[in-house]
Amino acid sequence: MTGVRFLPLRPLALASLVANIALIVTGAAVRLTGSGLGCPTWPRCTDESYTTTAEMGVHGVIEFGNRLLTFALGIIAVACVVAALLERPRRRSRVLLSVAVLFYIPLQAVIGGITVLTNLNPWVVGLHFLVSIVIIAFAYALWRRSAEGDGPPVPLVPRPVNHLAWVLTAASAAVIALGVVVTGSGPHAGDLDAKRNGLDPATASQAHADVVFLLIGLTVALIFALRAIQAPSTTVRAAIVLLVVELAQGLIGFVQYFTHLPVVLVGIHMLGSALVWTSTLAVVWSLRSRPLEPATPAAQPAVPLPTAAEEPIATSR
């Protein structure tokens, strides 16, 4: 039984994933346009108004627009929870994942408010970004689980290859975290008066680049390992897509560094970080399958008893 769905969970989960990636892009726009304090207080936009005013200009519009997107994310997350609860039969894992996404969205909003109240402290701003990465992981998991069945997961690769993929995932997370540190040391603070984290940008960038090279090396190793064991084509394809995204992201990173961080390239690079993370998750999920229906033992055909006509005739020697 595939179950009755009163609300389409899978497209709602995909909408949640896309919207949370979009939040990273709009957050980048806030920082790169110097609109981080476009609404100088929180939860209100001004001391008297929850919305932007004409006097606040374009910076207020950009910051307030980013805040409005949070409400859209919350509405989609609530819809996902309702859809998961109304499924028949109800899947516990889908309910828990949808609730996790919903839980982190107001937490993300509170951290966003703290960034404003701390005048864009770079460490708080970095935490604000990393929470988005966590939400994307839960939203992606919900999207994938919404198309899977209730059977136990079936591994598609040997355990050592699976371990290599998890090491790759840890490296991908480290690349993103170090990218946050690099951003906190760079010039795009979100406001002219915002402080930086005090680290040397060149040193932070070199550490970030070193881990990027490690990530690319691990991805190449995984591709060769998957081909050597003749893994399913979908698994190999996911690893190749990840490598392509990593190379594109690395190229953008080098170009933006040597062209003194133009805002357009920095914004694309932030979008690329979300795509690298999503592609990494795709590799992890491609390493196993979960059948749509639990496996049931095949019925054994009944063995007919021999009839009298078929009974062997005793012969004498």
Side-chain angles (χ1 to χ4, degrees):
M1 180 177 180
T2 58
V4 178
R5 297 185 179 183
F6 298 89
L7 284 175
L9 178 59
R10 184 163 173 79
L12 285 172
L14 180 59
S16 179
L17 174 63
V18 173
N20 278 285
I21 293 175
L23 183 65
I24 289 179
V25 178
T26 60
V30 170
R31 183 169 58 84
L32 296 172
T33 58
S35 305
L37 297 177
C39 288
T41 187
W42 188 88
R44 297 185 178 186
C45 197
T46 69
D47 290 335
E48 295 81 21
S49 174
Y50 281 97
T51 62
T52 184
T53 62
E55 293 77 11
M56 302 171 70
V58 66
H59 294 309
V61 172
I62 294 173
E63 165 64 8
F64 183 68
N66 187 58
R67 293 187 182 188
L68 284 180
L69 183 57
T70 301
F71 288 99
L73 295 178
I75 292 172
I76 297 173
V78 169
C80 287
V81 173
V82 173
L85 288 173
L86 292 179
E87 279 192 319
R88 295 294 182 272
R90 181 182 301 164
R91 272 78 172 189
R92 181 171 178 268
S93 61
R94 299 177 189 177
V95 174
L96 292 177
L97 286 170
S98 62
V99 169
V101 174
L102 180 60
F103 169 79
Y104 272 97
I105 287 175
L107 176 63
Q108 172 79 312
V110 171
I111 296 174
I114 295 174
T115 65
V116 173
L117 298 177
T118 57
N119 293 319
L120 307 182
N121 180 290
W123 300 108
V124 180
V125 173
L127 178 62
H128 191 48
F129 174 82
L130 292 177
V131 171
S132 286
I133 295 299
V134 174
I135 297 175
I136 287 173
F138 281 122
Y140 185 87
L142 177 62
W143 177 61
R144 292 297 295 259
R145 281 296 282 125
S146 65
E148 294 180 332
D150 299 323
V154 178
L156 301 177
V157 298
R159 183 171 297 179
V161 177
N162 192 62
H163 290 167
L164 174 60
W166 281 107
V167 172
L168 183 152
T169 303
S172 181
V175 166
I176 293 172
L178 284 172
V180 169
V181 175
V182 174
T183 299
S185 67
H188 300 298
D191 188 83
L192 292 176
D193 297 326
K195 295 181 179 179
R196 303 284 72 205
N197 60 24
L199 300 176
D200 177 50
T203 303
S205 297
Q206 184 60 59
H208 177 61
D210 291 342
V211 183
V212 168
F213 285 126
L214 173 63
L215 175 60
I216 292 174
L218 289 170
T219 306
V220 172
L222 180 63
I223 292 173
F224 277 107
L226 292 173
R227 288 189 176 278
I229 64 173
Q230 298 182 344
S233 59
T234 53
T235 305
V236 178
R237 190 182 308 118
I240 293 175
V241 169
L242 173 60
L243 179 61
V244 172
V245 175
E246 289 169 352
L247 293 175
Q249 175 76 336
L251 177 61
I252 295 170
F254 276 109
V255 172
Q256 72 168 8
Y257 180 80
F258 290 108
T259 54
H260 307 292
L261 303 176
V263 293
V264 173
L265 285 183
V266 174
I268 295 174
H269 196 59
M270 291 192 68
L271 171 62
S273 66
L275 297 180
V276 168
W277 182 236
T278 305
S279 299
T280 302
L281 297 174
V283 170
V284 173
W285 281 82
S286 72
L287 300 177
R288 94 288 184 279
S289 67
R290 194 184 293 265
L292 289 175
E293 297 293 343
T296 55
Q300 297 296 327
V303 180
L305 296 174
T307 62
E310 295 173 335
E311 291 180 353
I313 301 174
T315 60
S316 59
R317 296 184 177 230

